[in-house]
Structure formats: structure tokens, C-alpha cells
């Protein structure tokens, strides 16, 4: 039943009796058609641009502050290389180690857990006593340079299991030494590919080995010493940056 045939009927009823007026009004309203429906679909408040106070609606900060979505495993596999796989792992370890070194106050660089104990031990590698925090930083840096040299077919620095040849002593000097060591090892790992990954590697640090095998040692070694360094921070009431809700960025210069 459409609207046009119905109108004469309800007009006739309206003229015949005043009692039919409410019915007529009801009929008119019920057949008002699309215009009434359109009006009912409008929001009850004026649009934002028409509001006199121009108050902005609340924003969901969690959406705007969300980190950039990481690629899926399938997307990653399309671009993955031997070097990119190792460099991705090294990136995590570099942040952990360097951020820990940055977070420790300079006056605590001489901190040594269990001071005075184990001094009569004679380990095959490393010092008898537990390393100071400064010695931890220096050891990781020297080792990175040593691993990089071996990967490059060069002679590595001597004594990285002890104090190494670098004269770095202050926090600033050690931070620079550490930063440069990670730059060196990134370059060496970045040269690893499917053609050379089984090449033989000789040297005092994790040798004899293959290039692929030494690359795994590089990642493991940094992670091993970070596991020690974070305890030094905790024992001095410092939350490691990598464990904080909003980890700070690494510094480029010191």
C-alpha cells in the first residue's frame, strides 16, 4: 500500500468528523515517509563544527602512542639474510649492554660484588675475583674488537679475558670504547653471507671455529655479560634501562 491512494481517504475522514482528527494526524505522521526517518537518524547534538565551545573530544592516547607494527615472520622471511638475522640479535644485546653502562653512575664503576672473595682462585680464563663493573664494560668492548678482527682475518687484541690493551679508565672513555666496539662487530657480522658462513676462523677467542659458529658466540657473549651487569645495577638500586616501561634511547656521543 503506497502513500498516494491513502491521502484521499484520510482527508475525507477528517472532513466528516472532528473526532477523526487525531486519527488523521496519526496517519499523516505514519506516512511522512523518508523525511521523518532521515530526521530521526540525525545525532541529537550539533556537529563538532557547530558547537559554540569548540571543545575537542577525548583522544585515545594508547592508539597514537602505539609502537609501529613489526613485520610478520612471513614478511621477514622474504628479505632475511644471514647477516640480517645476526644483526637483529646483536641489536638487542647492544642496547642492553650499552644502556646498562650508561645507567651506572661513574662512582659505581669500581663496584665489585663479593669484594675480597675468590682472590685465590685460578680460573683458566678471566680474573680470579669477580670483575668490577668497569672491567665488565671493558671486557665486552675488547672482546667485540677481538671477534671482529678474527672475522676479518686480522690479529685480535691480546688479553681481552683480563684487562685488554685499551687505556680507557673513566666512564666516558669506557662508554666510547664500548660504543665503537659494537660498531666494529656490526660491520664484521654484516659481511657474513651464505657463501662465506662456513669459512674457517682461527684465533684465541672462540677459535678454531667457522664464521657462522663465531657469529653465534658474539651474540651469546654479549648476552652472558649483560646478565651479570644487570645484577650490578640491581644491587645498587638501579633498574636496568631495558627493564623499564619506557626504555631510554642510547646516546650517540658522550
Amino acid at each position: 500500500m503506497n502513500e498516494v491512494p491513502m491521502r484521499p481517504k484520510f482527508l475525507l475522514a477528517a472532513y466528516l468528523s472532528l473526532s477523526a482528527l487525531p486519527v488523521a494526524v496519526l496517519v499523516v505522521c505514519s506516512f511522512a515517509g523518508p523525511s521523518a526517518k532521515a530526521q530521526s537518524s540525525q545525532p541529537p547534538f550539533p556537529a563538532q563544527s557547530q558547537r559554540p565551545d569548540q571543545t575537542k573530544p577525548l583522544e585515545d592516547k594508547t592508539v597514537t602512542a602505539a609502537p609501529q607494527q613489526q613485520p610478520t615472520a612471513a614478511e621477514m622471511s622474504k628479505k632475511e639474510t644471514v647477516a640480517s638475522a645476526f644483526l637483529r640479535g646483536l641489536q638487542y644485546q647492544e642496547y642492553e649492554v650499552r644502556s646498562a653502562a650508561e645507567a651506572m653512575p661513574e662512582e659505581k664503576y669500581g663496584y665489585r660484588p663479593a669484594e675480597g672473595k675468590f682472590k685465590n682462585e685460578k680460573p683458566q680464563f678471566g680474573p680470579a675475583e669477580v670483575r668490577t663493573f668497569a672491567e665488565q664494560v671493558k671486557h665486552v668492548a675488547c672482546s667485540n674488537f677481538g671477534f671482529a678482527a678474527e672475522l676479518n682475518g686480522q690479529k685480535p687484541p691480546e688479553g681481552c679475558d683480563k684487562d685488554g690493551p685499551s687505556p680507557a679508565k673513566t666512564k666516558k672513555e669506557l662508554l666510547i670504547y664500548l660504543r665503537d666496539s659494537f660498531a666494529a662487530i656490526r660491520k664484521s657480522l654484516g659481511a657474513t653471507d651464505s657463501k662465506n658462513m662456513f669459512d674457517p676462523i682461527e684465533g684465541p677467542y672462540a677459535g678454531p671455529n667457522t664464521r657462522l659458529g663465531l657469529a653465534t658466540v658474539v651474540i651469546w657473549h654479549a648476552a652472558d655479560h649483560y646478565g651479570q651487569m644487570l645484577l650490578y645495577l640491581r644491587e645498587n638500586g638501579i633498574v636496568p634501562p631495558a627493564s623499564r616501561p619506557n626504555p631510554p634511547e642510547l646516546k650517540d656521543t658522550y
Side-chain angles (χ1 to χ4, degrees), residues 34-50:
S35 61
K37 292 182 180 180
Q39 290 178 2
S40 64
S41 64
Q42 295 298 319
F45 300 104
Q48 175 65 36
S49 60
Q50 299 174 355

Side-chain angles (χ1 to χ4, degrees), residues 176-193:
I176 293 173
Y177 186 35
L178 185 65
R179 176 201 65 194
D180 293 348
S181 76
F182 273 104
I185 195 61
R186 281 200 310 270
K187 184 176 180 180
S188 297
L189 283 184
T192 305
D193 55 34

Side-chain angles (χ1 to χ4, degrees), residues 28 35 58 81 105 124 148 151 156 174 187 223 228:
V28 171
S35 61
L58 294 176
T81 64
Q124 184 177 3
L151 288 169
L174 289 169
K187 184 176 180 180
Q228 300 173 48

